[in-house]
Amino acid sequence: MKKKLSVLFCLLFSAVVYAQSADVITELLDTKQASFGQICYLAAVQQNYVDENASYEDAVQALFENRIIPNSEDPQAPIPLVDIAYIYSRLWPIEGGLMFRLTKGSPRYAFKQFQSDGILSRKQDPADFISGAKALSIYTSCVKKYSGFDIKSVSMESEE
């Protein structure tokens, strides 16, 4: 079952995140606690701030320089769910509720917006640390919800 989910995630991300290194995705899928560097890597590559061969340190620095994150953090440190929601919320245009807009998408209200939009469950706590597979699942949900990406429109047939 775990292998099937891993393959599904890899397929989804090859379509969504374009040419990201399969090693990074595999490493993230196998991680028990997603790190700050891993999440920043996904965001930085999506925003074209770094190329797919960049290090986690480069990704964190790129997001800091582009004002996606307020502080340069340790790339190896586990990242709480509230920070994952905050970083992901900066990747797509999210209308959000009144407090989300008034606070310009602060971490607290990004987390609450994700709960309201069904990306996160109401039972999840902002201070939770999650696995890499769960972080990728949340990323995929965000892509589906906020970018207009529809997996059904992706042809799995080879073009000849």
Side-chain angles (χ1 to χ4, degrees):
M1 181 69 174
K2 191 173 185 179
K3 286 184 181 182
K4 289 180 183 180
L5 285 174
S6 295
V7 170
L8 177 64
F9 276 117
C10 287
L11 286 174
L12 221 65
F13 283 99
S14 65
V16 175
V17 188
Y18 306 109
Q20 274 188 8
S21 169
D23 294 338
V24 172
I25 299 299
T26 302
E27 179 185 334
L28 189 54
L29 284 170
D30 292 337
T31 303
K32 292 195 186 309
Q33 285 187 341
S35 74
F36 205 88
Q38 291 169 324
I39 301 304
C40 287
Y41 177 86
L42 288 175
V45 169
Q46 177 185 321
Q47 297 297 97
N48 294 317
Y49 294 148
V50 298
D51 71 11
E52 67 182 54
N53 297 318
S55 68
Y56 294 151
E57 292 82 7
D58 294 339
V60 170
Q61 190 60 34
L63 291 188
F64 176 68
E65 289 171 0
N66 286 283
R67 299 178 187 237
I68 300 293
I69 57 175
N71 302 312
S72 185
E73 301 284 342
D74 175 11
Q76 303 307 317
I79 184 169
L81 191 52
V82 68
D83 290 339
I84 294 172
Y86 176 70
I87 291 170
Y88 287 174
S89 74
R90 306 290 309 270
L91 302 180
W92 297 278
I94 300 172
E95 255 183 63
L98 178 65
M99 292 306 293
F100 180 81
R101 290 190 310 266
L102 284 175
T103 63
K104 296 182 171 79
S106 73
R108 172 186 169 87
Y109 290 105
F111 181 85
K112 289 187 172 290
Q113 187 62 47
F114 278 20
Q115 285 180 319
S116 176
D117 289 343
I119 304 292
L120 300 173
S121 79
R122 299 267 183 209
K123 294 186 283 185
Q124 289 179 293
D125 188 83
D128 285 348
F129 294 103
I130 61 172
S131 70
K134 181 65 178 164
L136 287 174
S137 175
I138 293 168
Y139 181 87
T140 304
S141 296
C142 289
V143 168
K144 184 177 178 186
K145 177 81 176 173
Y146 304 122
S147 75
F149 177 79
D150 183 13
I151 190 68
K152 293 175 188 165
S153 67
V154 176
S155 173
M156 298 307 252
E157 301 291 323
S158 64
E159 295 180 20
E160 293 179 34

